[in-house]
Amino acid sequence: MILGNARPNGHITPCEECPLRRVPCLREFSPEELEFVKRFKIDELHVEPGASFLTEGTRSEHLYTILEGWAFRYKVLDDGRRQILNFALPADMVGLQGAVMEEMEHSVEALTPLTLCILPRRRLYELYSQYPTLAFDITWLAAREEKMLEEHLVSIGRRSALERVAYVLLHVYGRAKELGMVRDNVVAFPFTQQHLSDALGLSLVHTNKTLKRLIATKAIRWQGRQFEMLNGAVLDQIAGSGYSGQKNRPFI
Amino acid sequence: MILGNARPNGHITPCEECPLRRVPCLREFSPEELEFVKRFKIDELHVEPGASFLTEGTRSEHLYTILEGWAFRYKVLDDGRRQILNFALPADMVGLQGAVMEEMEHSVEALTPLTLCILPRRRLYELYSQYPTLAFDITWLAAREEKMLEEHLVSIGRRSALERVAYVLLHVYGRAKELGMVRDNVVAFPFTQQHLSDALGLSLVHTNKTLKRLIATKAIRWQGRQFEMLNGAVLDQIAGSGYSGQKNRPFI
DNA sequence: CGGCGTTTTGACAGGCTTCAAGGGCCGTGG
DNA sequence: CCACGGCCCTTGAAGCCTGTCAAAACGCCG
């Protein structure tokens, strides 16, 4: 639970220049919405890799939108066993649970240097009462989170190790692609095999061996944090089910 | 995907007399909210056990609140493997996903005769724009659903069979107790060991053997659909983590 | 060069799945 | 009244998938 060098930053990106507005799969704000969101964002936060900026069991004063970088949401059992719930990428909202309920049910840790928009939880109701379109967007985001958790649950509960590994890679690659992070079928994955095994509910050793088996099929390549998709169809077939993205999804 | 005898019913319970209003753990409506919810509920639906009233991949015209009975949400893979995501009890909302997104990501099947409130999805935005308190409640319910999925994910990903079985039983028993369905530490569970194994990501045979082992500890008793909690503390210790309920939670 | 985190491999044990079959309960029908 | 079929629970045996233990190779960086 090292909190690391989480620090507010004086220099913040104005929402008009938000890099996320250039991502094609995200919906556009109306001028009024943009105006409100500008006032809603009170600051920016930079987090170093390895630092948790939200912690299970605590109540956070803020919720966040990821502007840049990768993170992951996780829970740990008393004896140290860790389960990664999913990865969080730019345009994802984190900390909503802590904003509407008593406290956070999971922690969130940065995988890369992270830039976050800070949104004060005490003004969330203001958003709900004045901007129902944005409130609806937040519900949409929550439903999407639920969808991803459900798919993950099916993977862990009912898929073999090989299928699981194929499925996450397909899933994460697809999400990165939506956000324009893929170039020539290559994307930089910031997570280790340890992260992958904690996400898949497998041991590190077996994750490694399974990964090797997958690489042997020539469907993927993965060396030195660089991941390359060679044959998505094969991967899809191994996973037993495809990854479905979304267009015009909201972000805040 | 048998749809069974799902049929609208002429006789519906007025919201003022809603049995859920007597449940202590649920928050009370303001008079205005009650008035709106009364207009929002357009009908009631009765579903027979074994019938699915929401189906993965389809778009539903309605969302539902469970008035009475048990159901479960699930997904199936192409080859028939089934994963139960969680159980749904009275005061649970189902079908929200289909209401805010393109289509449902899972199916829902009745375990007992079921009574549902029908809420039209096309009027959901009306709720968001006119009753932000209710919109906030829906977000709360979505966050709660996410919380339960996360706990389930940890179970399946990182707990042993014995821990898993102990955890679900604790969890389901706790939920039933909140709703006043427990009497003298006994509650009628309407699901079979097959359901349990599909929820836990285990085989039926191993679920049975594990259950036997758990019963041997004298922490629980479970015969003929009657479940009795004999020693919650022991069960809790075996599960490795307790179940936490909620007071004054919303329902619609 | 030395140290550390990550990846890789091999050997072995065991938890869980699969296959197979029997028993109990209950509603149906002869 | 009893036979029968269907669903659910139960039990045993065998084998595989996955976990654990152990150690070495690799890459990166101070």
Side-chain angles (χ1 to χ4, degrees), chain B residues 174-211:
Chain B
R175 295 196 61 198
K177 188 162 190 172
E178 276 182 356
L179 294 166
M181 304 166 83
V182 174
R183 198 183 172 86
D184 294 329
N185 301 314
V186 173
V187 53
F189 278 169
F191 45 82
T192 66
Q193 293 184 17
Q194 179 69 68
H195 289 117
L196 210 55
S197 58
D198 281 346
L200 296 173
L202 296 170
S203 71
L204 173 59
V205 173
H206 199 245
T207 301
N208 178 272
K209 286 171 181 169
T210 307
L211 208 43

Short mmCIF file of all heavy atoms in Angstrom, two decimals, chain B residues 174-211:
data_model
loop_
_atom_site.label_atom_id
_atom_site.label_comp_id
_atom_site.label_asym_id
_atom_site.label_seq_id
_atom_site.Cartn_x
_atom_site.Cartn_y
_atom_site.Cartn_z
N GLY B 174 -26.17 -13.89 3.82
CA GLY B 174 -26.19 -12.51 4.30
C GLY B 174 -27.21 -11.67 3.55
O GLY B 174 -27.94 -10.87 4.14
N ARG B 175 -27.26 -11.84 2.25
CA ARG B 175 -28.21 -11.07 1.46
C ARG B 175 -29.64 -11.45 1.82
O ARG B 175 -30.52 -10.59 1.92
CB ARG B 175 -27.97 -11.31 -0.04
CG ARG B 175 -26.62 -10.78 -0.50
CD ARG B 175 -26.58 -10.69 -2.01
NE ARG B 175 -27.61 -9.78 -2.49
CZ ARG B 175 -28.05 -9.75 -3.74
NH1 ARG B 175 -27.56 -10.60 -4.62
NH2 ARG B 175 -28.98 -8.89 -4.11
N ALA B 176 -29.88 -12.74 1.96
CA ALA B 176 -31.23 -13.19 2.31
C ALA B 176 -31.63 -12.64 3.68
O ALA B 176 -32.77 -12.22 3.88
CB ALA B 176 -31.29 -14.71 2.30
N LYS B 177 -30.68 -12.61 4.59
CA LYS B 177 -30.97 -12.12 5.94
C LYS B 177 -31.36 -10.65 5.93
O LYS B 177 -32.30 -10.24 6.59
CB LYS B 177 -29.74 -12.33 6.82
CG LYS B 177 -30.00 -12.05 8.29
CD LYS B 177 -28.93 -12.67 9.18
CE LYS B 177 -29.34 -12.60 10.64
NZ LYS B 177 -28.42 -13.34 11.51
N GLU B 178 -30.63 -9.86 5.16
CA GLU B 178 -30.95 -8.43 5.01
C GLU B 178 -32.40 -8.22 4.61
O GLU B 178 -33.04 -7.24 4.98
CB GLU B 178 -30.08 -7.80 3.91
CG GLU B 178 -28.73 -7.35 4.33
CD GLU B 178 -27.99 -6.70 3.18
OE1 GLU B 178 -28.52 -6.68 2.04
OE2 GLU B 178 -26.89 -6.20 3.40
N LEU B 179 -32.89 -9.14 3.78
CA LEU B 179 -34.23 -9.00 3.23
C LEU B 179 -35.29 -9.67 4.11
O LEU B 179 -36.46 -9.75 3.73
CB LEU B 179 -34.28 -9.58 1.82
CG LEU B 179 -33.44 -8.82 0.79
CD1 LEU B 179 -33.26 -9.64 -0.47
CD2 LEU B 179 -34.08 -7.48 0.46
N GLY B 180 -34.85 -10.15 5.27
CA GLY B 180 -35.81 -10.74 6.19
C GLY B 180 -36.29 -12.13 5.79
O GLY B 180 -37.36 -12.57 6.19
N MET B 181 -35.49 -12.83 4.99
CA MET B 181 -35.90 -14.15 4.54
C MET B 181 -35.37 -15.25 5.44
O MET B 181 -35.63 -16.43 5.21
CB MET B 181 -35.41 -14.39 3.11
CG MET B 181 -35.88 -13.31 2.13
SD MET B 181 -34.99 -13.36 0.57
CE MET B 181 -35.89 -14.62 -0.31
N VAL B 182 -34.62 -14.86 6.47
CA VAL B 182 -34.03 -15.85 7.37
C VAL B 182 -34.83 -15.91 8.67
O VAL B 182 -35.19 -14.89 9.23
CB VAL B 182 -32.55 -15.49 7.68
CG1 VAL B 182 -31.99 -16.44 8.72
CG2 VAL B 182 -31.72 -15.54 6.41
N ARG B 183 -35.12 -17.10 9.11
CA ARG B 183 -35.87 -17.29 10.36
C ARG B 183 -35.18 -18.40 11.13
O ARG B 183 -35.00 -19.49 10.64
CB ARG B 183 -37.30 -17.71 9.99
CG ARG B 183 -38.29 -17.54 11.12
CD ARG B 183 -39.67 -18.05 10.68
NE ARG B 183 -40.57 -18.06 11.81
CZ ARG B 183 -41.28 -17.00 12.20
NH1 ARG B 183 -41.21 -15.88 11.52
NH2 ARG B 183 -42.07 -17.08 13.26
N ASP B 184 -34.78 -18.12 12.37
CA ASP B 184 -34.05 -19.09 13.18
C ASP B 184 -32.81 -19.61 12.46
O ASP B 184 -32.54 -20.82 12.46
CB ASP B 184 -34.95 -20.28 13.54
CG ASP B 184 -36.09 -19.87 14.45
OD1 ASP B 184 -35.89 -18.92 15.23
OD2 ASP B 184 -37.16 -20.49 14.36
N ASN B 185 -32.11 -18.71 11.81
CA ASN B 185 -30.88 -19.06 11.06
C ASN B 185 -31.12 -20.01 9.90
O ASN B 185 -30.19 -20.63 9.41
CB ASN B 185 -29.83 -19.67 12.00
CG ASN B 185 -29.47 -18.73 13.12
OD1 ASN B 185 -29.24 -17.54 12.88
ND2 ASN B 185 -29.42 -19.24 14.33
N VAL B 186 -32.37 -20.15 9.49
CA VAL B 186 -32.71 -21.04 8.38
C VAL B 186 -33.29 -20.24 7.23
O VAL B 186 -34.07 -19.31 7.44
CB VAL B 186 -33.71 -22.12 8.83
CG1 VAL B 186 -34.19 -22.93 7.64
CG2 VAL B 186 -33.09 -23.03 9.88
N VAL B 187 -32.89 -20.58 6.03
CA VAL B 187 -33.44 -19.93 4.85
C VAL B 187 -33.61 -20.99 3.75
O VAL B 187 -32.84 -21.95 3.68
CB VAL B 187 -32.54 -18.78 4.37
CG1 VAL B 187 -31.11 -19.24 4.17
CG2 VAL B 187 -33.06 -18.17 3.07
N ALA B 188 -34.64 -20.84 2.93
CA ALA B 188 -34.88 -21.78 1.83
C ALA B 188 -34.06 -21.36 0.62
O ALA B 188 -34.32 -20.32 0.02
CB ALA B 188 -36.36 -21.81 1.48
N PHE B 189 -33.05 -22.13 0.28
CA PHE B 189 -32.26 -21.86 -0.92
C PHE B 189 -32.90 -22.56 -2.11
O PHE B 189 -33.05 -23.80 -2.08
CB PHE B 189 -30.83 -22.35 -0.74
CG PHE B 189 -29.94 -21.41 0.01
CD1 PHE B 189 -28.68 -21.81 0.44
CD2 PHE B 189 -30.34 -20.10 0.28
CE1 PHE B 189 -27.85 -20.94 1.13
CE2 PHE B 189 -29.51 -19.23 0.98
CZ PHE B 189 -28.27 -19.65 1.41
N PRO B 190 -33.22 -21.84 -3.16
CA PRO B 190 -33.92 -22.46 -4.29
C PRO B 190 -32.98 -23.02 -5.35
O PRO B 190 -33.44 -23.54 -6.35
CB PRO B 190 -34.73 -21.30 -4.86
CG PRO B 190 -33.90 -20.10 -4.56
CD PRO B 190 -33.16 -20.39 -3.30
N PHE B 191 -31.69 -22.93 -5.13
CA PHE B 191 -30.76 -23.38 -6.17
C PHE B 191 -30.17 -24.75 -5.85
O PHE B 191 -30.17 -25.19 -4.70
CB PHE B 191 -29.63 -22.37 -6.39
CG PHE B 191 -29.02 -21.86 -5.12
CD1 PHE B 191 -28.06 -22.59 -4.47
CD2 PHE B 191 -29.42 -20.64 -4.59
CE1 PHE B 191 -27.49 -22.12 -3.30
CE2 PHE B 191 -28.87 -20.16 -3.41
CZ PHE B 191 -27.90 -20.90 -2.77
N THR B 192 -29.70 -25.44 -6.88
CA THR B 192 -29.13 -26.78 -6.73
C THR B 192 -27.60 -26.68 -6.65
O THR B 192 -27.02 -25.61 -6.85
CB THR B 192 -29.47 -27.66 -7.93
OG1 THR B 192 -28.82 -27.12 -9.08
CG2 THR B 192 -30.97 -27.69 -8.18
N GLN B 193 -26.97 -27.80 -6.39
CA GLN B 193 -25.50 -27.82 -6.38
C GLN B 193 -24.93 -27.52 -7.77
O GLN B 193 -23.83 -27.01 -7.90
CB GLN B 193 -25.00 -29.16 -5.86
CG GLN B 193 -25.34 -29.38 -4.40
CD GLN B 193 -24.78 -30.67 -3.85
OE1 GLN B 193 -23.87 -31.27 -4.43
NE2 GLN B 193 -25.30 -31.10 -2.72
N GLN B 194 -25.72 -27.85 -8.78
CA GLN B 194 -25.30 -27.51 -10.15
C GLN B 194 -25.20 -25.99 -10.33
O GLN B 194 -24.25 -25.48 -10.91
CB GLN B 194 -26.30 -28.09 -11.16
CG GLN B 194 -25.97 -27.77 -12.62
CD GLN B 194 -24.73 -28.51 -13.07
OE1 GLN B 194 -24.72 -29.70 -13.19
NE2 GLN B 194 -23.64 -27.76 -13.33
N HIS B 195 -26.18 -25.28 -9.82
CA HIS B 195 -26.12 -23.82 -9.87
C HIS B 195 -24.89 -23.31 -9.13
O HIS B 195 -24.19 -22.42 -9.60
CB HIS B 195 -27.38 -23.21 -9.25
CG HIS B 195 -28.62 -23.40 -10.06
ND1 HIS B 195 -29.69 -24.12 -9.59
CD2 HIS B 195 -28.96 -22.98 -11.31
CE1 HIS B 195 -30.64 -24.12 -10.51
NE2 HIS B 195 -30.22 -23.46 -11.57
N LEU B 196 -24.69 -23.89 -7.95
CA LEU B 196 -23.57 -23.46 -7.14
C LEU B 196 -22.25 -23.67 -7.88
O LEU B 196 -21.39 -22.79 -7.91
CB LEU B 196 -23.57 -24.25 -5.82
CG LEU B 196 -23.00 -23.54 -4.62
CD1 LEU B 196 -23.70 -22.22 -4.40
CD2 LEU B 196 -23.09 -24.40 -3.39
N SER B 197 -22.10 -24.82 -8.49
CA SER B 197 -20.84 -25.10 -9.18
C SER B 197 -20.66 -24.17 -10.38
O SER B 197 -19.55 -23.72 -10.66
CB SER B 197 -20.76 -26.56 -9.60
OG SER B 197 -21.83 -26.90 -10.45
N ASP B 198 -21.75 -23.84 -11.06
CA ASP B 198 -21.63 -22.91 -12.18
C ASP B 198 -21.31 -21.49 -11.70
O ASP B 198 -20.73 -20.70 -12.43
CB ASP B 198 -22.92 -22.90 -13.01
CG ASP B 198 -23.00 -24.09 -13.95
OD1 ASP B 198 -21.98 -24.75 -14.15
OD2 ASP B 198 -24.09 -24.35 -14.49
N ALA B 199 -21.73 -21.19 -10.50
CA ALA B 199 -21.39 -19.88 -9.95
C ALA B 199 -19.92 -19.84 -9.52
O ALA B 199 -19.25 -18.81 -9.64
CB ALA B 199 -22.29 -19.54 -8.77
N LEU B 200 -19.42 -20.96 -9.02
CA LEU B 200 -18.08 -20.99 -8.44
C LEU B 200 -16.99 -21.36 -9.43
O LEU B 200 -15.81 -21.33 -9.10
CB LEU B 200 -18.06 -21.99 -7.28
CG LEU B 200 -18.96 -21.63 -6.11
CD1 LEU B 200 -19.00 -22.76 -5.11
CD2 LEU B 200 -18.46 -20.36 -5.46
N GLY B 201 -17.37 -21.73 -10.64
CA GLY B 201 -16.36 -22.16 -11.59
C GLY B 201 -15.76 -23.50 -11.22
O GLY B 201 -14.59 -23.76 -11.48
N LEU B 202 -16.55 -24.36 -10.59
CA LEU B 202 -16.08 -25.69 -10.21
C LEU B 202 -16.93 -26.74 -10.92
O LEU B 202 -18.00 -26.44 -11.44
CB LEU B 202 -16.21 -25.89 -8.70
CG LEU B 202 -15.38 -24.98 -7.80
CD1 LEU B 202 -15.81 -25.13 -6.35
CD2 LEU B 202 -13.90 -25.31 -7.93
N SER B 203 -16.47 -27.98 -10.91
CA SER B 203 -17.29 -29.05 -11.45
C SER B 203 -18.33 -29.45 -10.40
O SER B 203 -18.16 -29.21 -9.21
CB SER B 203 -16.43 -30.26 -11.79
OG SER B 203 -15.97 -30.88 -10.60
N LEU B 204 -19.40 -30.04 -10.89
CA LEU B 204 -20.46 -30.46 -9.97
C LEU B 204 -19.93 -31.45 -8.94
O LEU B 204 -20.22 -31.33 -7.74
CB LEU B 204 -21.59 -31.11 -10.78
CG LEU B 204 -22.71 -31.76 -9.96
CD1 LEU B 204 -23.37 -30.74 -9.05
CD2 LEU B 204 -23.73 -32.39 -10.88
N VAL B 205 -19.16 -32.41 -9.38
CA VAL B 205 -18.64 -33.44 -8.48
C VAL B 205 -17.79 -32.83 -7.37
O VAL B 205 -17.96 -33.14 -6.19
CB VAL B 205 -17.80 -34.47 -9.27
CG1 VAL B 205 -17.13 -35.43 -8.33
CG2 VAL B 205 -18.69 -35.22 -10.25
N HIS B 206 -16.91 -31.96 -7.77
CA HIS B 206 -16.02 -31.38 -6.76
C HIS B 206 -16.76 -30.43 -5.83
O HIS B 206 -16.41 -30.31 -4.66
CB HIS B 206 -14.85 -30.68 -7.43
CG HIS B 206 -13.70 -30.49 -6.50
ND1 HIS B 206 -13.28 -29.25 -6.10
CD2 HIS B 206 -12.91 -31.37 -5.86
CE1 HIS B 206 -12.26 -29.38 -5.27
NE2 HIS B 206 -12.02 -30.65 -5.10
N THR B 207 -17.77 -29.77 -6.35
CA THR B 207 -18.60 -28.91 -5.50
C THR B 207 -19.27 -29.75 -4.43
O THR B 207 -19.30 -29.40 -3.25
CB THR B 207 -19.68 -28.20 -6.34
OG1 THR B 207 -19.05 -27.42 -7.35
CG2 THR B 207 -20.54 -27.30 -5.48
N ASN B 208 -19.80 -30.88 -4.85
CA ASN B 208 -20.46 -31.78 -3.91
C ASN B 208 -19.51 -32.25 -2.82
O ASN B 208 -19.83 -32.21 -1.62
CB ASN B 208 -21.05 -32.98 -4.66
CG ASN B 208 -21.70 -33.97 -3.73
OD1 ASN B 208 -21.05 -34.87 -3.22
ND2 ASN B 208 -22.98 -33.77 -3.46
N LYS B 209 -18.32 -32.67 -3.22
CA LYS B 209 -17.36 -33.18 -2.24
C LYS B 209 -16.91 -32.07 -1.29
O LYS B 209 -16.73 -32.30 -0.09
CB LYS B 209 -16.16 -33.79 -2.96
CG LYS B 209 -16.50 -35.14 -3.57
CD LYS B 209 -15.41 -35.68 -4.48
CE LYS B 209 -15.84 -37.02 -5.07
NZ LYS B 209 -14.97 -37.49 -6.15
N THR B 210 -16.73 -30.89 -1.84
CA THR B 210 -16.31 -29.77 -1.01
C THR B 210 -17.41 -29.38 -0.02
O THR B 210 -17.14 -29.09 1.15
CB THR B 210 -15.97 -28.57 -1.90
OG1 THR B 210 -15.04 -28.97 -2.89
CG2 THR B 210 -15.37 -27.44 -1.09
N LEU B 211 -18.63 -29.40 -0.50
CA LEU B 211 -19.78 -29.09 0.34
C LEU B 211 -19.86 -30.07 1.51
O LEU B 211 -20.10 -29.68 2.65
CB LEU B 211 -21.03 -29.18 -0.52
CG LEU B 211 -22.26 -28.35 -0.17
CD1 LEU B 211 -21.87 -26.94 0.23
CD2 LEU B 211 -23.18 -28.33 -1.37
#
